[in-house]
Amino acid sequence: MPDSGYVLLTGFEPFGGDLLNPSALLAERLHGSEIKGVRIASACLPVDLARLPVEIERLLDGPSPRAIVNLGLAAGRTAVAVERVAVNALDFNIPDNAGQQIRDRPILPDGPAAYLSRLPLRQSVERLRARGIPAYISDTAGLYLCNACMYLVLHTLAQRGWDIPAGFIHVPFILEQTAQQEAPRASLPLDMLTLATGILVETALAETQTQPLRQVLSSTE
Amino acid sequence: MPDSGYVLLTGFEPFGGDLLNPSALLAERLHGSEIKGVRIASACLPVDLARLPVEIERLLDGPSPRAIVNLGLAAGRTAVAVERVAVNALDFNIPDNAGQQIRDRPILPDGPAAYLSRLPLRQSVERLRARGIPAYISDTAGLYLCNACMYLVLHTLAQRGWDIPAGFIHVPFILEQTAQQEAPRASLPLDMLTLATGILVETALAETQTQPLRQVLSSTE
Amino acid sequence: MPDSGYVLLTGFEPFGGDLLNPSALLAERLHGSEIKGVRIASACLPVDLARLPVEIERLLDGPSPRAIVNLGLAAGRTAVAVERVAVNALDFNIPDNAGQQIRDRPILPDGPAAYLSRLPLRQSVERLRARGIPAYISDTAGLYLCNACMYLVLHTLAQRGWDIPAGFIHVPFILEQTAQQEAPRASLPLDMLTLATGILVETALAETQTQPLRQVLSSTE
Amino acid sequence: MPDSGYVLLTGFEPFGGDLLNPSALLAERLHGSEIKGVRIASACLPVDLARLPVEIERLLDGPSPRAIVNLGLAAGRTAVAVERVAVNALDFNIPDNAGQQIRDRPILPDGPAAYLSRLPLRQSVERLRARGIPAYISDTAGLYLCNACMYLVLHTLAQRGWDIPAGFIHVPFILEQTAQQEAPRASLPLDMLTLATGILVETALAETQTQPLRQVLSSTE
């Protein structure tokens, strides 16, 4: 029986005083499920700059997954945000979970200024909207751990020459969180974000299937 | 069989270019249902200053309902907003559906400066939150038709001496609306707002049941 | 020599961790100056609910001033905000300077629901704009000490039958404050706010000058 | 007499229905002045994607300036925003002045994903704040003409190997603009922005003067 590979899906642990992080819940919920015949393998990343690169390295220390979708929480956002770009910079508004508050430093001193998402951005947003889920393409993933995660993953792919769909998605608070807030910020239901994550993985995989053809064409030039 | 009365629930028609108004959908959805044995009678109000007072007058032209809950849409709000006060002022940012854009005028030249909500504000917010619905007490209902509705209803109750729970609730956009927006604003699911409306009516009615006792006590003083 | 009376101008002491309050600086700067031949007498009010009514009572414990302009800081506002209404409610987001955090209480249990400003709202905004100062009419003064100040002053005037212009103005942060903020909020120059305060007093007094005539007419009826 | 070179300072023409663009006023005001003995040469760029690269090419079609500071308007920002990064993407929320609304396209199909600013970011913000001017480092310059300008200028420098300070600054509305707005957005005085621009040029030039030394050291390694 042929192995159809897997999709790597990650979330982050809670940070900044929150008791939960919806991105970790989403990764956990979808772990082991199959989308278009491809199994999802999930992981929860640390909000800790010292440990993040080690963990990403470890997760990618095998054969290439079919696609990578990294999730994170963006407090105050109103919709699912498909990130366009990861910038080679760290500038934390709050300390990470290890207490480090980095300002104005590159992620990789010799790395390129930025990586553009390898997800089909517009197609992702259109499919989400068609299913009734508010979504947009975001022009900044911030300069905290989420952006660093996106940058490090895309840098690793570039280093290894893995031509797979990969990118970062910011999700809003979920209702369980804002129902506790005196002045509630924007939020969406966890069930809707679960559906959204599935659609995003599916859209990434749909894109993947055109890759082999392209590679064949390139190799004959 | 004794008639247990009814709750008047209103929404507004669409305005400002929107194709739908969630407040009207909510009123329609709950029309005819029963909460704590009391039937809900719903109506859709016009976003038209010339017609609004006539319509409110017509709706209250019979025996007193057990409670009144008026609903309206507040674009950009992040949670269910239980309004605290209705001010005797009209100052429209956009024209109403009849094309009138009133600035700096009282609703009733001889009316009081404001009416405070007759809903149990804090209790309403607490019950919503306990059910996982983000909610807060809002300090301004704006100076458009929503505020005018709240003012006119509470003025009518004051005139008639109807001692019933009554007040205004602003709801956010629903997902069906923001899924069409290029830059999506905050929104909540219609199903959650339907649940919220039921809880608000239930909380208002719970409060009502203590009223007769209080009235008895007052009359014996 | 006839006494042309005085204008009462108040600001508030710093609160919420701020080291300065622009409203107090403005009151201090204009203290003793003359506008349209009327002297300005300034005072700084405490951000302390227990002491505020006492201090307002003390300030109004003599002959009526010609006009009253109360100033306060509204963090995050982008322009001079001429407040339209003071509501009979207290609901603090942060404790006052005495450590009290009041929730959901009336200012005066037997007072009216609200008082509308006695300043010429639209005229004030138009004159400010004509002089290049961004300004608007605000529909809520919050439910902290500023709103309480506005309510208590207007209530006192109503009790005494003093028919004078009076109302509340919220000012934004000044540049000296936001130049220290990592994520600067909106702010305006202190000099511009000083000019604005003078214009607001002048506009209030211009309105006053039609009062004597009116009073004469009334007294002959 | 030795020529001490010049600083290129640019602003943009008005767009999006505005009658003026403060960035053009700033460039015009400083044109011909001298900062640290270096003359400022200003230009006004078109908000027109077809003409922008041509105009930038023309402006840089001579010997290298000593530094380049590009200015643009960012509606709604509250402070001077020193941009950190220019991304190789175009995604317009509104059409440019030629009526083109580009979505999801690269600026240069074969260009790098992004360029980081060549201005001393933190030092610039610190000097502005020390002079009482609210300022911050911004993580996104949008994906309209401002970002394109920053990208194209930095790309040109990279192509030519010009090792000079260069970067983009977003300024808020000025008071002349927001004093006309019904709901005024954040704004700062033109005089303060003029001072800020001078400080930014001065900080860029201060940085320049250490460059030759560094180059000498590098060449001897």
Side-chain angles (χ1 to χ4, degrees), chain A:
Chain A
M1 197 186 82
D3 184 0
S4 58
Y6 74 104
V7 171
L8 177 61
L9 178 68
T10 70
F12 271 104
E13 63 184 5
F15 66 98
D18 283 332
L19 294 177
L20 63 83
N21 187 325
S23 68
L25 302 186
L26 291 166
E28 196 182 346
R29 275 192 170 199
L30 286 165
H31 179 65
S33 67
E34 278 195 12
I35 290 178
K36 291 173 93 67
V38 185
R39 184 178 42 90
I40 291 184
S42 294
C44 181
L45 296 172
V47 177
D48 176 341
L49 186 64
R51 292 170 51 212
L52 182 67
V54 182
E55 194 62 22
I56 288 173
E57 184 65 31
R58 197 184 63 73
L59 284 171
L60 298 179
D61 187 31
S64 167
R66 292 276 299 275
I68 304 176
V69 174
N70 304 110
L71 304 170
L73 165 67
R77 301 245 184 143
T78 54
V80 175
V82 186
E83 295 296 342
R84 192 187 290 272
V85 62
V87 177
N88 188 8
L90 301 162
D91 194 36
F92 297 1
N93 293 319
I94 54 169
D96 68 13
N97 284 351
Q100 298 296 314
Q101 184 165 5
I102 311 294
R103 312 269 6 184
D104 297 318
R105 279 220 330 247
I107 299 170
L108 297 177
D110 298 320
Y115 284 101
L116 294 173
S117 175
R118 297 175 63 89
L119 294 178
L121 299 176
R122 189 60 56 182
Q123 210 178 333
S124 297
V125 164
E126 276 167 8
R127 287 202 190 178
L128 291 170
R129 287 184 180 165
R131 297 288 288 276
I133 303 171
Y136 68 108
I137 303 176
S138 163
D139 298 336
T140 175
L143 295 178
Y144 197 57
L145 278 296
C146 289
N147 172 73
C149 167
M150 181 174 172
Y151 185 91
L152 288 166
V153 167
L154 292 169
H155 182 73
T156 305
L157 298 197
Q159 296 289 100
R160 305 203 182 157
W162 288 358
D163 185 16
I164 58 168
F168 199 92
I169 311 295
H170 263 124
V171 296
F173 280 126
I174 54 173
L175 302 167
E176 283 76 3
Q177 297 179 283
T178 57
Q180 311 302 326
Q181 298 173 354
E182 277 291 307
R185 309 197 56 187
S187 54
L188 289 176
L190 180 59
D191 283 352
M192 169 166 274
L193 295 179
T194 308
L195 176 63
T197 305
I199 293 169
L200 287 161
V201 169
E202 193 179 351
T203 311
L205 286 173
E207 189 69 4
T208 302
Q209 297 180 319
T210 66
Q211 301 282 342
L213 274 175
R214 233 195 291 154
Q215 284 168 3
V216 169
L217 287 172
S218 311
S219 65
T220 60
E221 281 167 23

Side-chain angles (χ1 to χ4, degrees), chain C:
Chain C
M1 198 184 82
D3 185 359
S4 57
Y6 74 104
V7 171
L8 176 60
L9 179 69
T10 70
F12 272 105
E13 63 182 6
F15 66 97
D18 284 331
L19 294 177
L20 64 85
N21 187 325
S23 69
L25 301 186
L26 290 166
E28 197 182 346
R29 274 193 171 198
L30 286 165
H31 179 64
S33 66
E34 279 195 10
I35 290 178
K36 290 174 95 61
V38 185
R39 183 177 44 88
I40 291 183
S42 295
C44 181
L45 296 171
V47 178
D48 176 343
L49 185 64
R51 291 170 51 212
L52 182 66
V54 183
E55 194 63 22
I56 288 172
E57 185 63 31
R58 198 185 62 75
L59 284 171
L60 296 179
D61 187 29
S64 167
R66 293 275 299 275
I68 304 177
V69 174
N70 302 112
L71 305 170
L73 166 67
R77 301 248 184 141
T78 54
V80 175
V82 186
E83 294 298 343
R84 191 186 293 271
V85 63
V87 177
N88 189 8
L90 300 162
D91 194 36
F92 297 0
N93 292 320
I94 54 171
D96 69 11
N97 285 351
Q100 298 296 313
Q101 183 164 5
I102 312 293
R103 312 272 1 188
D104 297 316
R105 280 221 328 249
I107 300 169
L108 297 178
D110 298 320
Y115 284 101
L116 295 174
S117 175
R118 297 176 61 92
L119 294 178
L121 299 175
R122 189 60 56 183
Q123 210 177 333
S124 296
V125 164
E126 276 167 8
R127 288 204 191 176
L128 291 170
R129 286 184 181 165
R131 298 289 288 276
I133 303 171
Y136 68 108
I137 303 176
S138 163
D139 299 337
T140 175
L143 294 179
Y144 196 56
L145 278 296
C146 289
N147 172 73
C149 166
M150 180 174 171
Y151 185 90
L152 288 167
V153 167
L154 292 169
H155 183 73
T156 305
L157 298 196
Q159 296 289 101
R160 305 207 181 153
W162 290 357
D163 185 16
I164 58 168
F168 199 91
I169 311 295
H170 264 124
V171 296
F173 280 126
I174 54 173
L175 303 167
E176 284 75 3
Q177 297 179 284
T178 57
Q180 312 301 327
Q181 297 172 353
E182 277 290 307
R185 308 194 59 185
S187 54
L188 289 176
L190 180 58
D191 283 351
M192 169 166 274
L193 296 179
T194 309
L195 177 63
T197 306
I199 293 169
L200 287 161
V201 169
E202 193 179 352
T203 310
L205 286 173
E207 191 69 4
T208 301
Q209 294 179 320
T210 67
Q211 302 281 343
L213 274 175
R214 234 195 289 156
Q215 282 167 5
V216 169
L217 288 172
S218 312
S219 63
T220 60
E221 282 168 24

Side-chain angles (χ1 to χ4, degrees), chain D residues 4 8 11 25 32 43 48 55 61 74 78 85 95 102 110 120 125 136 144 147 150 171 186 196 215:
Chain D
S4 57
L8 177 61
L25 301 187
D48 176 343
E55 193 63 21
D61 186 31
T78 54
V85 62
I102 311 294
D110 299 320
V125 164
Y136 69 107
Y144 196 55
N147 172 73
M150 180 174 172
V171 295
Q215 284 168 2

Side-chain angles (χ1 to χ4, degrees), chain D residues 39-112:
Chain D
R39 184 177 43 88
I40 291 183
S42 295
C44 181
L45 296 172
V47 178
D48 176 343
L49 185 66
R51 290 170 52 212
L52 182 65
V54 183
E55 193 63 21
I56 288 174
E57 183 65 33
R58 197 184 62 75
L59 284 172
L60 297 179
D61 186 31
S64 167
R66 292 276 298 276
I68 304 176
V69 174
N70 303 111
L71 305 170
L73 166 68
R77 301 245 184 142
T78 54
V80 175
V82 186
E83 295 297 343
R84 192 187 290 272
V85 62
V87 178
N88 188 8
L90 301 162
D91 195 35
F92 297 1
N93 293 320
I94 55 168
D96 69 11
N97 284 352
Q100 298 296 313
Q101 184 165 3
I102 311 294
R103 312 270 3 186
D104 297 317
R105 279 221 328 247
I107 299 170
L108 297 177
D110 299 320

